[in-house]
Amino acid sequence: MSKAVLDDWQELLPKTLENAVRAPYYRRRFGSAWRRVKSIEDLALLPTLDKPTAIRFQRYLVVGERPPGFGITSSGTTRLDLDMPPLNVLRCPEEADAIAGPALEPGQAAREDPDDPYPGWTLEVFSVTHGLPLPPGKDEIVVPWMLDRNALYMIEAVLSKPQPDGRRVTAMRLGTGALTVLTVWLQERGKDPSSFGVKLIGTFSQRLTEFWRKLAAERFGAQIFDNYSLSEFSTPATECTACGWLHFRWPPVLYEVLDLVTGKPREEGIGRLVLTGLHPYVQKMPLIRYDTGDAVELGPFCRVERSRGIRMHGRIRRGLVLQNNGGGAYLLAPMTVFDLLDCLAEVERWPHPCATLGIIRSRDVGFPRWVSEFDERLSLLRLRFEVRFDPLIFRERAKELETRVQEGLLTRDAGLKKLVRAGTLRLEVLAARPQSLNPPIDKFV
């Protein structure tokens, strides 16, 4: 966000905190410290709120009575385990009204905008396990995503012919899991995705790996935009065409990037992403300094957006945090590992539910299976990944893969390379037999 926009948004902080302390949790946790918060830098005076704590005390995070309000359910992967209940973020109609207020004026809708290169309909595929903060726009067609052939047939039916007004779908917004399955399902049935005329694809949920991004873009003949979002907030961070990094859009949200060890604000590098929703766009259940559980990297200054963007590196729990030079170093970031392993045909994967159910035949849609560990005594960082053969029998091929992955990690992660070259850390990459590891389960959405 530009400095002018940031100044405007920071002016919303006093009202945001005045509203938040009406909730019992914040009233007790903040004490009087919230009165001294005037800027985003001052937010460091307040404690952070992680998801397990929010789940435990969610009834005390609500302003006023329950109900009225409608909920957005966030199951998420930042929970300590999958047996924890979901976080139900309550919202009120006044929030939706505030968000919808600055809508485009008549005559400036996307299909009438002369600068819009693809003035058609947008197909929005959303998971039935997640709510929508706002109703769809007049140029959006919404279908649910389910682990069922009907969902795929509905998408194909909408894409394959013009709508009653003569326009076709020229843009799609859907989760990465849905996009990969859709791409494979169409190919297995001899369908050409490029014949649909979709030119813009926006993704959410996990970031597409480099392999799948390239493949989907080629098959559909479309430009793909990354998108970072959470069910807990209405605000997405979308990919900038100028700098390639992610910038938070509308409605206003303040973000901080904190050191993974000290918790202090970072000015560069990788840290923990913390978000604060602002009043009046968040009213019923404010989330103040909400720890997303995600590691992000701060980008360079973008001349177009006049701000710094972020880049997603994955769930903190899936990488390794080591103390280094008084701060935290994040090594074996999930997205770095996924990018390396996902392009290797020999790597074993979690079976995707659509493959298990027989909807698609391919075994290559699931997430690679890998684990990481750090032996502090030996200063040894170890990555083990499963392959689809016995590495004890095909040892030469296993060694080739191990070398390729290790070299890829050192090429992509400058911090890791520096530690290894300095002799501070040793890196070991090992191929493992199929189904021999016990990696955390990732969500297929």
Side-chain angles (χ1 to χ4, degrees):
M1 68 197 81
S2 68
K3 185 178 185 305
V5 172
L6 178 60
D7 290 342
D8 289 342
W9 289 5
Q10 287 186 149
E11 289 182 2
L12 301 174
L13 264 178
K15 183 64 176 178
T16 298
L17 297 177
E18 287 176 14
N19 179 66
V21 295
R22 295 170 58 200
Y25 176 85
Y26 292 119
R27 189 161 57 245
R28 183 169 183 174
R29 286 284 286 152
F30 289 176
S32 61
W34 67 273
R35 298 182 183 278
R36 304 197 301 275
V37 177
K38 306 298 181 183
S39 67
I40 188 171
E41 291 79 12
D42 296 337
L43 283 171
L45 296 171
L46 305 177
T48 58
L49 171 69
D50 60 25
K51 186 166 214 168
T53 303
I55 290 173
R56 181 182 176 188
F57 295 104
Q58 55 187 306
R59 62 181 294 185
Y60 302 106
L61 291 170
V62 178
V63 173
E65 300 293 327
R66 313 169 46 109
F70 56 94
I72 303 295
T73 300
S74 170
S75 53
T77 51
T78 50
R79 292 176 291 169
L80 296 178
D81 58 70
L82 296 180
D83 292 329
M84 292 181 69
L87 175 63
N88 293 305
V89 182
L90 293 184
R91 294 177 178 162
C92 59
E94 290 77 11
E95 297 178 40
D97 290 342
I99 295 172
L104 291 172
E105 296 295 328
Q108 293 183 333
R111 63 177 176 178
E112 300 175 21
D113 186 347
D115 296 326
D116 182 5
Y118 305 107
W121 288 86
T122 295
L123 176 65
E124 180 164 348
V125 181
F126 70 96
S127 171
V128 295
T129 62
H130 288 261
L132 290 175
L134 291 173
K138 63 179 182 179
D139 288 342
E140 293 180 353
I141 303 171
V142 178
V143 300
W145 170 249
M146 300 168 287
L147 301 176
D148 187 276
R149 284 188 179 87
N150 287 336
L152 291 161
Y153 280 119
M154 279 192 291
I155 296 172
E156 182 183 10
V158 174
L159 296 179
S160 60
K161 60 183 179 181
Q163 298 306 302
D165 66 356
R167 292 183 300 148
R168 299 188 70 118
V169 169
T170 56
M172 287 197 302
R173 183 163 53 244
L174 71 172
T176 56
L179 177 59
T180 54
V181 169
L182 176 64
T183 303
V184 169
W185 184 73
L186 290 170
Q187 289 185 157
E188 290 180 347
R189 295 171 55 249
K191 303 287 184 176
D192 180 11
S194 66
S195 65
F196 296 138
V198 175
K199 298 301 180 184
L200 304 174
I201 298 176
T203 64
F204 57 88
S205 186
Q206 291 90 353
R207 180 175 70 81
L208 270 179
T209 60
E210 294 174 359
F211 173 81
W212 278 104
R213 179 168 182 154
K214 180 180 179 182
L215 181 66
E218 289 177 349
R219 297 296 189 269
F220 278 92
Q223 186 176 6
I224 294 181
F225 291 89
D226 191 14
N227 180 312
Y228 172 80
S229 60
L230 297 89
S231 302
E232 298 95 310
F233 292 85
S234 301
T235 310
T238 53
E239 187 175 315
C240 175
T241 56
C243 69
W245 294 68
L246 304 177
H247 295 273
F248 283 101
R249 307 296 182 181
W250 184 265
V253 64
L254 297 180
Y255 77 89
E256 304 168 77
V257 178
L258 308 182
D259 188 88
L260 293 168
V261 170
T262 66
K264 296 180 180 179
R266 295 205 63 147
E267 297 297 327
E268 60 181 1
I270 300 174
R272 182 184 302 273
L273 179 65
V274 173
L275 298 178
T276 296
L278 296 171
H279 193 276
Y281 314 101
V282 175
Q283 298 183 33
K284 191 67 180 173
M285 190 172 171
L287 295 176
I288 309 298
R289 302 202 80 203
Y290 182 75
D291 184 347
T292 64
D294 292 324
V296 301
E297 181 181 358
L298 278 167
F301 181 81
C302 176
R303 294 179 180 273
V304 174
E305 293 290 331
R306 301 189 62 78
S307 65
R308 300 174 68 182
I310 59 172
R311 178 173 293 156
M312 178 71 173
H313 281 262
R315 297 296 194 205
I316 294 172
R317 66 177 177 84
R318 285 290 268 136
L320 288 171
V321 179
L322 301 181
Q323 188 163 352
N324 182 48
N325 293 330
Y330 191 55
L331 307 177
L332 298 185
M335 291 316 308
T336 301
V337 178
F338 279 146
D339 280 340
L340 285 168
L341 298 183
D342 218 18
C343 64
L344 300 175
E346 298 93 336
V347 170
E348 178 71 318
R349 289 159 168 79
W350 283 102
H352 193 285
C354 285
T356 304
L357 294 169
I359 298 172
I360 58 174
R361 296 188 296 272
S362 177
R363 296 173 55 205
D364 298 313
V365 179
F367 296 111
R369 291 172 56 89
W370 59 278
V371 297
S372 61
E373 56 192 12
F374 177 63
D375 188 326
E376 187 174 2
R377 183 177 59 87
L378 300 175
S379 297
L380 176 64
L381 185 63
R382 181 181 292 116
L383 172 73
R384 290 184 291 161
F385 64 96
E386 292 182 359
V387 291
R388 289 172 171 168
F389 56 86
D390 190 336
L392 295 179
I393 296 177
F394 298 97
R395 190 59 194 150
E396 184 174 339
R397 182 54 183 152
K399 290 293 292 183
E400 291 175 359
L401 290 173
E402 291 167 355
T403 300
R404 181 174 175 181
V405 173
Q406 179 156 341
E407 290 176 349
L409 289 172
L410 295 175
T411 299
R412 293 165 182 265
D413 191 331
L416 175 62
K417 183 177 181 179
K418 184 177 180 180
L419 291 173
V420 171
R421 279 192 169 181
T424 307
L425 190 69
R426 290 193 298 129
L427 175 64
E428 184 177 67
V429 177
L430 298 174
R433 296 191 312 274
Q435 305 300 312
S436 63
L437 304 179
N438 187 31
I441 297 175
D442 291 292
K443 293 195 328 177
F444 291 100
V445 293

